[in-house]
Amino acid sequence: SIPIAKQLASIKALGKGSDLEKAFATMALVYNNSADPEGKLSKAETKSLLQTQFWGFIQGQENKPKYQEIISSLDEESENKIDFEDFMILLVSLTLMSDLLQEIKNVKTTK
């Protein structure tokens, strides 16, 4: 498996890309590296990916009803798979409810 940083560096269009562009490209690469040949993830794979790659944002969220709702939907026995669009919606939802987001908002930048 090729490291994400090396994959990111190989995308010529991102050579002078912004931090935001590189962040979204990284999300797409992480997803693609885990997805099946059809470009989808099982719900179990999605949950595992969130727990390994998004831990900082989901840590401490276990008691929040919305978090429990999201995770329980991934635990359901189902043939339904998650596509990239649904995965991104999931990431945004988890980010918006996270304690880490508030910490990020409180960071002061110096000029």
Side-chain angles (χ1 to χ4, degrees), residues 17-108:
S18 70
D19 291 341
L20 193 56
E21 289 171 321
K22 290 176 183 174
F24 270 85
T26 299
M27 286 186 275
L29 288 169
V30 168
Y31 178 89
N32 288 342
N33 286 340
S34 299
D36 65 17
E38 295 175 355
K40 296 187 177 188
L41 290 176
S42 71
K43 289 184 175 185
E45 290 166 327
T46 301
K47 185 176 178 182
S48 175
L49 188 61
L50 291 171
Q51 290 171 334
T52 59
Q53 293 287 322
F54 214 58
W55 178 246
F57 281 93
I58 63 175
Q59 186 175 2
Q61 305 308 300
E62 298 83 5
N63 295 324
K64 292 184 178 179
K66 185 65 178 168
Y67 176 84
Q68 291 174 349
E69 179 185 324
I70 289 169
I71 294 305
S72 68
S73 74
L74 295 176
D75 287 334
E76 292 172 3
E77 292 294 324
S78 174
E79 293 297 313
N80 293 341
K81 292 192 172 187
I82 305 284
D83 62 16
F84 183 68
E85 181 178 299
D86 290 335
F87 182 74
M88 292 301 290
I89 291 168
L90 193 59
L91 284 182
V92 169
S93 298
L94 292 170
T95 300
L96 290 173
M97 73 175 74
S98 75
D99 296 329
L100 182 55
L101 180 61
Q102 192 57 48
E103 187 178 329
I104 291 166
K105 287 179 177 180
N106 291 335
V107 170
K108 302 291 183 227

